[in-house]
Amino acid sequence: MLAMAGCGQANRPAETLTNNPAKSTTPASVAPSLEKSRPAQETTDTGRTFHFRNATDDWNLKFHRFDDIRGQNLITEGPGGGLAIVDYDLDGQLDLMFCQGCRLPRSRVTTEFTNELYRNIDQHLHRVTDQAGLTSYRFHTGATVGDVDEDGFPDLYITAYGKATLWHNNGDGTFQDSGEAARAMIDSWSSSSILADFNDDGLLDLYVVTYVYEDDEHPRICREPRSPTGTLQCSPTLYPTLDDFLLISDGKGGFVDVTREAGITGKDGKGLAGVACDINGDGRLDIMIANDGTPLFLYVRTSDEAPTERDGLLIPRFVDRAAEMGVAVSGEGRTISGMSAGHGDYDRDGWIDLFVTNFYLEPNILFRNLQGNGFLDFSTGSRLGPSSRLSLAFGAEFVDVDHDGWLDLIVTTGHIDDRAWSSQEPYRMFPQLYRNDRNGKFTDVAAKAGSYFTSKWLGRGLALGDLDRDGDLDVSISHREDPSVLLMNETPRPGSSVVIKPVGRNGAPRSGIGTRVIATGVTPILFRDLAGGGSFQSASALEMHFGLADAQEFSRLECNWPDGQIEHWPNVKPGYYVAIQGRGLVRVSH
């Protein structure tokens, strides 16, 4: 596997191009421009409005990522960083962790910028980075969350342009860098990562998504004489690919690399996001990887072969079936500049659908699951595709904004280059918020959803969680060039919700990843699953949200734990619950 060396790496000459190799090859004279104000959207139900309040200042969130932007439009400047929403100290309140950049090249070791951890104390964020021991000065990109060593406290895996590493939660409010000891310190350009149990032993394994190879000592520069800087960001097609990694838990808090044995081939992938969920309904976790300009991966866990044993470890087997299942490319046969890997049953037919964000002038893609037999590009029929062509999208997650039981969608947008000199392609862009119209179609309702959505941003990472414990899901978004924000969901709604934090025992991962809960007796079918991975370089809270619509309670919820155990919980009223496997639901708050 190709790894990115640190100091002492052989230098590679910078490559200079005279032609613009950027992804968008549409001539400026025919490229449509984005309106300065939001255009009117088609609506089908004017009575359902969404609203998010920008509570960044109220909550004292003060994070501004540093990407070492120096006017050369380097490829390292574009992606920005992600974040994680996690209750790291188990006090019942969700906290925030943001990934920070640093000065480049990495050989210039500086201590100016670090990842930041904010503790939530009664709806006020307190910076606790130093006290928690989470100070780190690398060029970090993304984060994922899970209890790797099964001690009850969530750990963090933080990816990087350089050394990605595992941060072990000590259980006393502090973390320690245990990547080297756990054999999980990947030296590459890793973008996103996934923690999930891929071999059914009850322990979390690790999939690391990698992007491209770039030498930060002598970075590639692409010339564009018309640009004020004389440059544009080079297309990812010009960079060598890197192999992804699959690491299996050794049962002792560490990992073993089984990438090749497991069938993770990494054929020409340039990954930016990934999600692990049960695509075909066989009870096993599959893996979808969103690649930038190369075919997507859909690694399906095989059921016809028993796992191979090595050193007492069970090695799962995967086969990339993206092409045969219809998700390798768009329905038009075009490769996708995949930045995010959203998932959820948007049409409530009982099967998990996939959503992948895309580049400017290319539609975002909604892949509708055909009952586990493949996928259909339903971007046009859903209205998500046409409305996204004039945006460049990054983070995305399905979310039931108004508790009606139907998954809506939120998307961050923003270009990688400032092309204002061409007066065609916008730089900052309006974020998107889509209401599920319950008929297979979506309507962009962002224009009336609050001040954040009527402003333009360079949106990147996005994560969900009920930070104020009022029963709905709030949003935190990271930006390039602007401070990160916290948006509180204040949508008027007729009903309430149930939020469940699953805790596995005796064969299921403690973090509950892979758990599926079904509201029995509800038509159409309503379920939520706790997946690994998802939004671009970011991790949402490890909880499941169920909108009750106009009902007073769920008559029964059925919980399918990752190890196959099934539990039934009757008469579940609105509130926040902790579900401990085998011990039922514990209502923590109303």
Side-chain angles (χ1 to χ4, degrees), residues 20 24-33 226 360-361 419 421-425:
N20 172 21
S24 175
T25 57
T26 304
S29 60
V30 299
S33 62
R226 296 174 299 169
Y360 183 72
L361 295 182
R419 304 186 184 190
W421 50 270
S422 71
S423 72
Q424 297 297 323
E425 297 189 19

Side-chain angles (χ1 to χ4, degrees), residues 22 39 62 85 106 122 138 150 163 198 258 286 353 365 381 407-408 419 424 431 466 474 505 518 583 587:
K62 300 182 183 300
I85 297 181
R106 289 163 293 155
D122 298 327
R138 300 175 183 136
E150 295 285 295
K163 292 182 178 180
F198 294 119
V258 298
D286 310 299
D353 310 297
I365 306 296
L407 289 174
D408 310 298
R419 304 186 184 190
Q424 297 297 323
D466 183 8
D474 310 301
R505 297 174 61 247
I518 305 168
R583 298 181 181 178
R587 193 179 190 185

Side-chain angles (χ1 to χ4, degrees), residues 69-78 220-222 227-234 239 416-418 427 480:
I69 298 172
R70 57 181 80 171
Q72 295 176 305
N73 297 96
L74 304 179
I75 194 171
T76 51
E77 299 174 4
R220 187 186 298 257
I221 298 176
C222 292
S227 167
T229 64
T231 62
L232 277 182
Q233 182 177 304
C234 299
Y239 295 84
I416 56 172
D417 280 312
D418 186 352
Y427 186 41
R480 183 173 180 257

Side-chain angles (χ1 to χ4, degrees), residues 44 81 128 161 185 191 197 206 227 237 442 477 489 508 528 530:
T44 58
V128 294
Y161 174 58
M185 186 173 281
S191 52
D197 180 9
L206 175 64
S227 167
T237 60
F442 289 82
I477 297 174
N489 187 349
R528 297 286 182 263
L530 194 61

Side-chain angles (χ1 to χ4, degrees), residues 137-181:
Y137 304 110
R138 300 175 183 136
F139 198 98
H140 303 94
T141 53
T144 193
V145 178
D147 186 359
V148 170
D149 55 0
E150 295 285 295
D151 67 351
F153 289 88
D155 308 301
L156 290 167
Y157 191 81
I158 302 179
T159 52
Y161 174 58
K163 292 182 178 180
T165 194
L166 175 69
W167 289 87
H168 172 70
N169 190 331
N170 296 318
D172 58 1
T174 67
F175 291 83
Q176 67 183 61
D177 183 345
S178 62
E180 187 171 358

Side-chain angles (χ1 to χ4, degrees), residues 175-466:
F175 291 83
Q176 67 183 61
D177 183 345
S178 62
E180 187 171 358
R183 299 188 298 277
M185 186 173 281
I186 303 297
D187 193 358
S188 183
W189 184 347
S190 53
S191 52
S192 297
S193 55
I194 304 169
L195 283 169
D197 180 9
F198 294 119
N199 62 352
D200 304 328
D201 65 353
L203 302 171
L204 292 181
D205 309 307
L206 175 64
Y207 188 109
V208 181
V209 183
T210 62
Y211 190 39
V212 298
Y213 176 89
E214 170 64 311
D215 180 357
D216 58 332
E217 294 285 349
H218 300 279
R220 187 186 298 257
I221 298 176
C222 292
R223 304 296 180 187
E224 170 49 75
R226 296 174 299 169
S227 167
T229 64
T231 62
L232 277 182
Q233 182 177 304
C234 299
S235 169
T237 60
L238 300 177
Y239 295 84
T241 63
L242 297 171
D243 289 341
D244 292 349
F245 294 83
L246 179 62
L247 310 179
I248 296 297
S249 172
D250 64 3
K252 303 174 184 178
F255 295 93
V256 176
D257 186 345
V258 298
T259 306
R260 297 191 182 280
E261 299 97 313
I264 305 300
T265 59
K267 297 173 294 186
D268 195 29
K270 298 176 180 180
L272 288 173
V275 64
C277 54
D278 183 3
I279 292 296
N280 55 12
D282 66 354
R284 296 165 175 255
L285 293 180
D286 310 299
I287 307 169
M288 191 274 277
I289 303 298
N291 289 318
D292 186 6
T294 59
L296 275 58
F297 298 150
L298 182 58
Y299 292 114
V300 176
R301 175 96 178 269
T302 61
S303 58
D304 56 344
E305 297 181 19
T308 304
E309 227 177 282
R310 191 184 87 180
D311 299 328
L313 301 177
L314 295 175
I315 303 177
R317 294 288 299 173
F318 292 89
V319 176
D320 182 9
R321 292 182 173 157
E324 66 185 84
M325 296 193 74
V327 298
V329 294
S330 73
E332 299 175 341
R334 300 171 65 91
T335 55
I336 304 167
S337 298
M339 263 77 80
S340 196
H343 92 294
D345 182 16
Y346 84 94
D347 53 0
R348 292 180 63 173
D349 67 349
W351 297 88
I352 291 176
D353 310 297
L354 300 171
F355 181 78
V356 183
T357 52
N358 208 349
F359 201 73
Y360 183 72
L361 295 182
E362 298 289 341
N364 295 335
I365 306 296
L366 176 64
F367 289 111
R368 183 181 179 186
N369 195 330
L370 303 177
Q371 299 185 359
N373 297 307
F375 289 84
L376 173 69
D377 182 343
F378 203 61
S379 308
T380 299
S382 65
R383 295 203 295 249
L384 293 174
S387 63
S388 64
R389 285 186 180 274
L390 298 183
S391 65
L392 195 165
F394 278 87
E397 287 285 9
F398 285 107
V399 51
D400 182 359
V401 175
D402 58 352
H403 298 344
D404 68 346
W406 294 83
L407 289 174
D408 310 298
L409 181 67
I410 183 169
V411 183
T412 68
T413 61
H415 217 301
I416 56 172
D417 280 312
D418 186 352
R419 304 186 184 190
W421 50 270
S422 71
S423 72
Q424 297 297 323
E425 297 189 19
Y427 186 41
R428 298 174 184 273
M429 298 178 179
F430 293 114
Q432 296 163 337
L433 181 62
Y434 292 96
R435 184 189 63 216
N436 189 329
D437 291 331
R438 311 171 189 165
N439 57 3
K441 301 180 185 298
F442 289 82
T443 297
D444 189 347
V445 296
K448 297 182 179 180
S451 61
Y452 176 79
F453 292 93
T454 57
S455 300
K456 294 183 179 181
W457 307 88
L458 299 176
R460 295 300 187 256
L462 177 154
L464 306 172
D466 183 8

Side-chain angles (χ1 to χ4, degrees), residues 1-185:
M1 297 181 183
L2 180 62
M4 181 177 299
C7 301
Q9 173 186 335
N11 293 334
R12 186 174 68 178
E15 195 161 333
T16 302
L17 303 182
T18 57
N19 296 321
N20 172 21
K23 301 180 199 173
S24 175
T25 57
T26 304
S29 60
V30 299
S33 62
L34 188 68
E35 295 87 340
K36 294 183 178 179
S37 59
R38 300 199 72 109
Q41 300 291 333
E42 178 183 355
T43 60
T44 58
D45 184 357
T46 56
R48 295 172 58 213
T49 59
F50 294 171
H51 187 265
F52 286 83
R53 177 176 61 88
N54 191 335
T56 308
D57 293 337
D58 294 345
W59 280 61
N60 196 39
L61 174 59
K62 300 182 183 300
F63 179 78
H64 195 154
R65 178 177 170 88
F66 176 79
D67 278 306
D68 199 13
I69 298 172
R70 57 181 80 171
Q72 295 176 305
N73 297 96
L74 304 179
I75 194 171
T76 51
E77 299 174 4
L83 68 145
I85 297 181
V86 53
D87 181 9
Y88 80 95
D89 53 359
L90 300 187
D91 65 351
Q93 300 189 79
L94 295 174
D95 313 299
L96 291 169
M97 195 287 296
F98 291 90
C99 299
Q100 182 62 281
C102 70
R103 296 193 184 278
L104 295 176
R106 289 163 293 155
S107 59
R108 295 173 53 194
V109 179
T110 62
T111 58
E112 297 172 81
F113 309 99
T114 175
N115 289 334
E116 298 288 10
L117 178 65
Y118 294 89
R119 186 185 180 197
N120 177 6
I121 303 178
D122 298 327
Q123 302 184 25
H124 193 80
L125 296 175
H126 299 258
R127 182 185 180 276
V128 294
T129 310
D130 301 329
Q131 303 94 303
L134 202 59
T135 303
S136 179
Y137 304 110
R138 300 175 183 136
F139 198 98
H140 303 94
T141 53
T144 193
V145 178
D147 186 359
V148 170
D149 55 0
E150 295 285 295
D151 67 351
F153 289 88
D155 308 301
L156 290 167
Y157 191 81
I158 302 179
T159 52
Y161 174 58
K163 292 182 178 180
T165 194
L166 175 69
W167 289 87
H168 172 70
N169 190 331
N170 296 318
D172 58 1
T174 67
F175 291 83
Q176 67 183 61
D177 183 345
S178 62
E180 187 171 358
R183 299 188 298 277
M185 186 173 281

